[in-house]
Amino acid sequence: MFEANGYRLNLGFSTMNGYSNCSANHTEIWSRNLVLALGIPQLTINIASVIFNCTAIITRKATKDLHKPISILFCNLAFSDLFTSFSGFWISMLFITKPDDTIFGSKDMLAPYALYATSILSTIYNLVSIGIERYLAVAESIRTRFRVARNHSIAVVLINWVLAFFLGCLPLMGWNCLHTGKNLSVLYSPFCVDYLIFITTPNVVAAFIVPLFTYLRIIMILRKRKLRMKACGQAIGTYKSAEIQVARTSIFIWLLALVSYAPLFAGVIFDAVNHQCPLDLYPSVYIFRNCTAMLITMNCLGNPIIYTLKTKTLGAKLKSLKCLSGKRLQACTIANI
């Protein structure tokens, strides 16, 4: 047993491989300087993310373009990132005030971790939804039988939040290892390792694969249209510029997701195969854990910049190009007839 901050904690940790119990007689693990060195930057980044995403939401509302399907998804992404920043701020405050609880776990960590998981899942689902919507919007002239409408976006937003809350709040419904050492995560106690694998593996893979596929398809569609226009003898300078801009933005979006979520996934995999006690992992592994939280918040900082500023001008250019290419291709077809 371990007593700290008024809690008697069971240090009977075990991995999924059934590692034997760990014990300690320490009363204080974290050094105060290290706590402040990690906690203050986390608080600062979370506050900056709150400001950025509030600005993004206000900008969307001020422009009065929420009737557009993609704008609903953008605004919901900002809400998800805002939710992530608030829950991350809560966890950072707990880390500064009760740092040892982030190693050994406590009831106080259960709710903020569950809300943090919910917000991250919502962000991932929004990123995937935006990638699919962008692909359908660009491919609309080819697949005219289906068009994304405002009601579709609202339905997607509701489904995303219901799924995120259900999966993220499972620990609050009983899937946690608060009162048992078996299967306990050493990085995100009192979460269970099998729960972390259950929610991270499919969702992180989806965050990498789906946007990569959709944005590559968008680039391929633009390239095919450019070749058609070239075959008709039309100027392709503007289309080539749009293709380059789409490629750059798509690569940036994908790399941002990769840098933000890959370390988290690596940490969960490490957690599953770990054979060491928590005190043996201090401080390097726990510093890495805190850095992964900062990277996720950096993703929340980058999203409003990408999706509110860059994508707005890019969307206008793609829309004008779609109309322009449609007219030119139609004229070319008539001329060939």
Side-chain angles (χ1 to χ4, degrees), residues 184-238:
L184 179 65
S185 168
V186 295
L187 292 181
Y188 301 101
S189 176
F191 279 3
C192 300
V193 174
D194 53 358
Y195 167 74
L196 290 172
I197 293 177
F198 172 74
I199 63 168
T200 56
T201 302
N203 291 299
V204 171
V205 169
F208 295 154
I209 300 300
V210 176
L212 179 64
F213 170 78
T214 54
Y215 289 120
L216 284 177
R217 285 293 300 156
I218 290 172
I219 294 172
M220 292 172 61
I221 290 172
L222 290 177
R223 182 160 295 185
K224 287 181 180 180
R225 290 180 182 175
K226 182 183 71 175
L227 293 176
R228 290 179 185 175
M229 292 176 65
K230 186 176 181 180
C232 294
Q234 303 292 342
I236 59 173
T238 306

Side-chain angles (χ1 to χ4, degrees), residues 12-163:
F13 288 87
S14 65
T15 65
M16 292 189 71
N17 297 325
Y19 184 60
S20 58
N21 291 343
C22 303
S23 61
N25 295 317
H26 301 276
T27 58
E28 186 175 348
I29 307 302
W30 287 93
S31 69
R32 196 61 186 168
N33 291 335
L34 183 57
V35 168
L36 294 177
L38 292 172
I40 292 177
Q42 284 183 258
L43 288 176
T44 304
I45 296 174
N46 279 296
I47 292 172
S49 179
V50 169
I51 295 173
F52 270 65
N53 284 285
C54 285
T55 303
I57 294 171
I58 293 172
T59 301
R60 286 287 168 186
K61 289 186 174 294
T63 54
K64 297 181 180 180
D65 61 349
L66 288 178
H67 63 282
K68 300 177 183 178
I70 188 61
S71 293
I72 295 175
L73 296 178
F74 286 157
C75 193
N76 189 57
L77 177 64
F79 273 113
S80 297
D81 289 336
L82 189 62
F83 193 19
T84 302
S85 302
F86 276 126
S87 55
F89 183 86
W90 187 5
I91 292 172
S92 299
M93 288 299 299
L94 288 175
F95 172 71
I96 292 176
T97 57
K98 299 178 181 179
D100 291 342
D101 283 1
T102 64
I103 293 182
F104 303 116
S106 72
K107 188 176 181 180
D108 290 342
M109 298 301 301
L110 191 59
Y113 271 159
L115 293 179
Y116 195 54
T118 299
S119 57
I120 291 175
L121 290 174
S122 178
T123 298
I124 290 176
Y125 297 152
N126 273 282
L127 291 174
V128 171
S129 300
I130 288 171
I132 295 174
E133 195 281 340
R134 289 291 80 191
Y135 166 70
L136 293 176
V138 173
E140 183 182 321
S141 60
I142 297 177
R143 304 188 179 192
T144 54
R145 291 174 296 177
F146 179 79
R147 182 174 182 176
V148 178
R150 185 173 181 271
N151 291 338
H152 294 140
S153 292
I154 294 175
V156 167
V157 167
L158 292 176
I159 293 172
N160 286 347
W161 277 109
V162 169
L163 186 59

